[in-house]
Amino acid sequence: MTNERVCAVVNDVLDAVRDVLRKQQVTFEEYRAAFKYVIEIGEAHELGLVQDMFFNQTVCDIEMQDRQGTRSNVEGPYFLEGAPWAVDGKAKVKGDADPMLIRGVIEDLQGNPVPDVEVDLWWANPDGTYSGYTDELPKDYFRVKVKSDVQGRYSVLGSMPIEYPITTERHGPTGNLIEMLGGQGIRTKHVHQKYHKEGYAPLTTQAYFSGAAYLNEDPVKAVFDDLVYNLKEEDGIPILDLKIVLDPVK
Ligand code: BEZ
Ligand code: FE
């Protein structure tokens, strides 16, 4: 059965690729090398990674065209459903993780607090990997769920994320491509967040840290000034204070 949307998008993609082949006068040698490369990405299970690296933020930007709240930002490949709820205001962390308090206040477009928002937070552990994606770390560490209170606030003691290479295989197909493009493959440290409440547009976003390493050379091109936060400190513990604005559902 013909699907009009698939026809529209796929035919445009094919036309765009054909335009590039013509514009760049691609040879058969290059054409076959590109085929071999795409197969390598699949075999290395890096297809999701490449897709997120090049296109995820573009879809976020499209989503923002009719939103006014907090900027939508790449989810990336490491979100997991079913994170544990915070216990006594704490996330489960392990080993040599440095503590960091994550606080948020959630408002609607009119500045009213939004209570009962389900919030997912996840971030890289001190090894620069994500729990559930490494044999060493069960999936309930370094990711947590919290709910906003009547004032739209939440607070959870987690840990300081770390910058990490987006490819575990430095010389895998994605790593090689980043190198050939003259870029670098380390993402600056960040905290991933998802916000969900009926009546509001679901929001997936990230927070970045001012002055952090690699802030201005993100391989995913997803760092925006309005998502970069200055860390505060109370009682010797760094605090990430987030202000989140949710759009109503359309
Ligand atoms: C991340 O932020 O976790 C991420 C995003 C895109 C590609 C790889 C990782
Ligand atoms: Fe990440």
Side-chain angles (χ1 to χ4, degrees), residues 49 52-53 74 76-78 130 164 166 187 190 192 206 220:
L49 174 63
D52 280 350
M53 185 169 86
V74 289
Y78 303 119
Y130 282 83
Y164 62 86
I166 60 171
R187 285 220 80 204
H190 53 272
H192 293 268
Q206 298 197 27
V220 179

